Amino acid sequence: MTTQHRNLRTGQPIWLGKAASHLKFDLLMDDISVDIAIVGSGISGALMAEALTESGYSVAILDRRKPVMGSTPASTALLQFEIDTPLHHLAKKIGLNTAERAWRRSKLAVDALRERTRDLGISCEMISRDSLYLAGNVLDEKGLQKELRSRQRAGFETRFLSRNDLQSRFGIDRAAALMSFDNIEANPRKLAIGYLNKAIDRGARVYAPVEVATVEPRSRDVLATTKEGRKIRCKYFISATGYELPDYVPKKGHQIISTWALATVPQRKKLWPEKCLIWEASNPYLYMRTMSDGRIIVGGEDEEFEDEDKRDAKLSSKTNSILKKLRMMFPEVTAEAEYAWTGSFGSSTTGLPFIGAIPGMDRCYAVLGYGGNGITFSMVASQLVRGLISGAGDPDQDIFAFK
Ligand SMILES: Cc1cc2nc3c(=O)[nH]c(=O)nc-3n(C[C@H](O)[C@H](O)[C@H](O)COP(=O)(O)OP(=O)(O)OC[C@H]3O[C@@H](n4cnc5c(N)ncnc54)[C@H](O)[C@@H]3O)c2cc1C
């Protein structure tokens, strides 16, 4: 087994310029034996490690980079239950019943993440935010009305805002929008470090840098071997390697694309009322959020290629296009970037992630928490995989299973 090697991100993500708590990690100097080995110390590995240590398993987390240095610190961290694929579009792809279940599970995951983070006392600048989904080239005003009816049918509290409502309440000039409630913004680096530290408090160990090179399910356990030849014997093996996909995971329906983001200078004037998360029913879509120090984080401009040199070469021009779009939406803001970065980004044909047992590999699981809801799906993954390992199962495993 090998995992793809990628240059996951380039530029200066805002979160790496801010202080975060200390995290203890070690080199792997000996062979080890644990209940569960997790490869990947990003938000997926962190949430998984915390959930599994709560259930009493001994856990080792291994990463070939230093902890939380993959895609997670590049995230803009709009933690939304609204899946990138509109509910009525998803229903056409996977059936109405399954689409509604996927959306409800996503909502449960965001609620669970908020409640668990508060209960564990993890300090990560987490704030509940409503969100505005603006009419665009994927859903115009009529399309948003259709989406409203689908969401209401499925039980989601959603409000339709007309052009006048949008203008008078938020100063935004768009044909219409849907408003949803109780999504989250956070500092993703602090979030992941906080969860890893909770797992460490319960005895988990983080090993880095260490590259897991092979994994071999055997009759009674799984043997993972590092590039240096150290052996990790475990009852269960979990691959949480983000956008560096392992060879042994089915990749049908997955694609790696490129995305760009920036954080502005702190704004001198007040930001938009209610500081909602804003995104567009467009392809590609622009999205934005605020920060407690008055900056605006804006991202988008996605393109369907994975070539990292080409992606990095576009950082400056993409930064300018994003700033131009920000200025068009809010002419009064200071549209100057203090941080700008670019990264690889996962997408799937449905917008849903793949989570579950790896076909043909007993006691091995993988998490591919794709796209704009990546962190929401990392939370689903920690719940779902814990259910599978403990034998309790999960009512939604069919939605996310590898095909
Ligand atoms: C610019 C940008 C904006 C985003 N915005 C949002 C957003 O607003 N909301 C949202 O929910 N999501 C967003 N995402 C997506 C989100 O960031 C990702 O879904 C999430 O960070 C993935 O976390 P992860 O733990 O799965 O992967 P990572 O954080 O990449 O962690 C995986 C780790 O696995 C390690 N690894 C890989 N292979 C091996 C190996 N063989 N041996 C040892 N270690 C290995 C890597 O070194 C890496 O550290 C965004 C992503 C980007 C790039």
Side-chain angles (χ1 to χ4, degrees), residues 12 19 104 394:
Q12 282 185 291
R104 288 194 193 106
D394 188 285

Side-chain angles (χ1 to χ4, degrees), residues 4-11 64-65 69-71 243-244 256-258 306-312 342-345:
Q4 296 168 340
H5 278 83
R6 289 184 187 281
N7 167 3
L8 286 171
R9 54 181 169 77
T10 303
R64 66 171 164 226
R65 295 178 175 81
M69 288 300 277
S71 299
Y243 302 142
E244 294 179 313
I256 299 293
I257 63 172
S258 297
E306 59 180 277
D307 181 319
E308 292 144 9
D309 292 335
K310 190 170 158 192
R311 179 197 75 193
D312 296 352
T342 173
S344 300
F345 197 59

Side-chain angles (χ1 to χ4, degrees), residues 1 3 8 39-45 62-65 69-72 74-79 210-212 240-244 259 261 287 341 343-345 369 371-376 378:
M1 157 225 171
T3 311
L8 286 171
V39 187
S41 68
I43 189 64
S44 304
L62 306 111
D63 203 305
R64 66 171 164 226
R65 295 178 175 81
M69 288 300 277
S71 299
T72 298
S75 181
T76 46
L78 290 82
L79 311 182
V210 51
E211 173 150 354
V212 175
T241 59
Y243 302 142
E244 294 179 313
T259 191
Y287 60 91
W341 65 100
S344 300
F345 197 59
N373 304 91
I375 295 177
T376 303
S378 298

Side-chain angles (χ1 to χ4, degrees), residues 43 47 50 54 79 109-128 184-188 190-195 198 202 375 379 382:
I43 189 64
L47 293 172
E50 190 281 320
E54 186 195 47
L79 311 182
V110 168
D111 290 346
L113 184 60
R114 181 192 310 104
E115 290 157 14
R116 200 168 180 86
T117 305
R118 191 183 61 208
D119 184 44
L120 292 169
I122 293 172
S123 160
C124 59
E125 298 154 45
M126 185 175 273
I127 301 176
S128 287
I184 309 175
E185 69 183 35
N187 174 328
K190 285 190 179 176
L191 183 70
I193 291 175
Y195 273 84
K198 289 294 162 192
R202 299 191 193 115
I375 295 177
M379 188 66 194
S382 71

Side-chain angles (χ1 to χ4, degrees), residues 342-360:
T342 173
S344 300
F345 197 59
S347 75
S348 73
T349 44
T350 56
L352 297 179
F354 290 82
I355 304 165
I358 302 174

Side-chain angles (χ1 to χ4, degrees), residues 54-67:
E54 186 195 47
S55 295
Y57 295 102
S58 64
V59 169
I61 303 124
L62 306 111
D63 203 305
R64 66 171 164 226
R65 295 178 175 81
K66 284 188 180 167

Side-chain angles (χ1 to χ4, degrees), residues 22 26 68 80 92 94 134 147 172-173 198 202 212 226 237 312 368:
H22 176 72
D26 299 297
V68 198
Q80 291 180 261
K92 280 192 195 134
I94 62 173
L134 306 178
E147 178 66 4
I172 296 173
D173 182 25
K198 289 294 162 192
R202 299 191 193 115
V212 175
T226 71
F237 175 89
D312 296 352
L368 310 182

